Amino acid sequence: MNSKINLGLVEDQLLFREGMKAILSAWDEISIVLESPDGYSVMKRLQEAAVVPDVLLVDLSLPPLGEKEFSGLDVTRTVLENWPEMKIIILSVHEDENFIAQLIEEGAHGYLVKDSDPKEVHEAVVAVHRKGSYINDRTLKAIQHNLGQKKKPRKPDLQITKREEEILQ
């Protein structure tokens, strides 16, 4: 693919956002086309954008607007409802496997912790754009763990006799 990857950054911490922009802009195939310091203005910014991003890097912990939450999960759900072709990579400090698996189930195409190596961020952006997803070891373990928990059969709390068990079989 020779075309540029149009990238959007949704990050409330200015220094981190500027750092990500500087790092990602160093790669020729990436063009930063949208920035947002919060989740609640993302939809308006996307609607008004001259170029809509192919991939959004979204911070998981974004500031609310009064009492209304606008987390990265909320942004993911809303954006994918309106732009289902857009790919979303969640950035977070959280490493909880259940949380990571939930984000993937909700539609995120990748998950990175904020202390990821810049090369991995680049790799994730390119993979999500070209292949539709980026699954690193951390995310794979989270998905496997989550699936394993869902498939474990629960033992019934019933007390049955040996003869009742034979009949049931």
Side-chain angles (χ1 to χ4, degrees):
M1 258 182 194
N2 294 334
S3 64
K4 286 208 174 240
I5 300 169
N6 295 316
L7 185 74
L9 294 171
V10 182
E11 168 62 57
D12 61 323
Q13 296 176 0
L14 178 62
L15 185 60
F16 189 82
R17 189 173 67 246
E18 290 297 320
M20 288 297 293
K21 196 164 66 171
I23 289 168
L24 292 166
S25 295
W27 281 287
D28 292 336
E29 73 264 44
I30 295 176
S31 177
I32 310 295
V33 296
L34 183 130
E35 292 180 58
S36 181
D38 52 61
Y40 48 86
S41 67
V42 171
M43 292 305 295
K44 184 176 183 202
R45 289 172 191 260
L46 285 169
Q47 290 166 348
E48 295 173 352
V51 178
V52 177
D54 302 308
V55 178
L56 266 183
L57 280 174
V58 180
D59 181 13
L60 182 61
S61 302
L62 294 165
L65 179 61
E67 297 292 314
K68 185 151 173 52
E69 283 294 320
F70 282 96
S71 70
L73 179 56
D74 297 314
V75 170
T76 299
R77 288 174 178 152
T78 305
V79 166
L80 291 177
E81 273 180 30
N82 294 280
W83 287 274
E85 69 285 352
M86 196 174 298
K87 306 298 184 233
I88 297 177
I89 300 172
I90 298 291
L91 290 168
S92 179
V93 296
H94 301 287
E95 296 186 50
D96 179 78
E97 288 182 347
N98 292 324
F99 206 60
I100 295 169
Q102 178 193 1
L103 289 161
I104 299 298
E105 284 179 13
E106 292 286 343
H109 301 89
Y111 186 93
L112 294 170
V113 291
K114 285 190 171 182
D115 69 349
S116 295
D117 184 279
K119 289 179 185 176
E120 183 179 15
V121 177
H122 174 260
E123 182 181 317
V125 169
V126 171
V128 162
H129 182 253
R130 292 184 182 163
K131 300 176 188 173
S133 65
Y134 176 75
I135 306 295
N136 59 14
D137 288 341
R138 177 180 282 121
T139 307
L140 180 59
K141 285 179 188 174
I143 293 168
Q144 289 172 329
H145 181 257
N146 193 48
L147 286 174
Q149 285 187 340
K150 287 182 179 178
K151 293 192 177 204
K152 287 182 181 172
R154 281 186 30 164
K155 291 184 179 179
D157 295 333
L158 302 172
Q159 297 289 333
I160 60 175
T161 66
K162 184 80 169 161
R163 178 65 184 141
E164 289 170 328
E165 186 178 338
E166 289 172 2
I167 292 169
L168 286 173
Q169 289 177 349

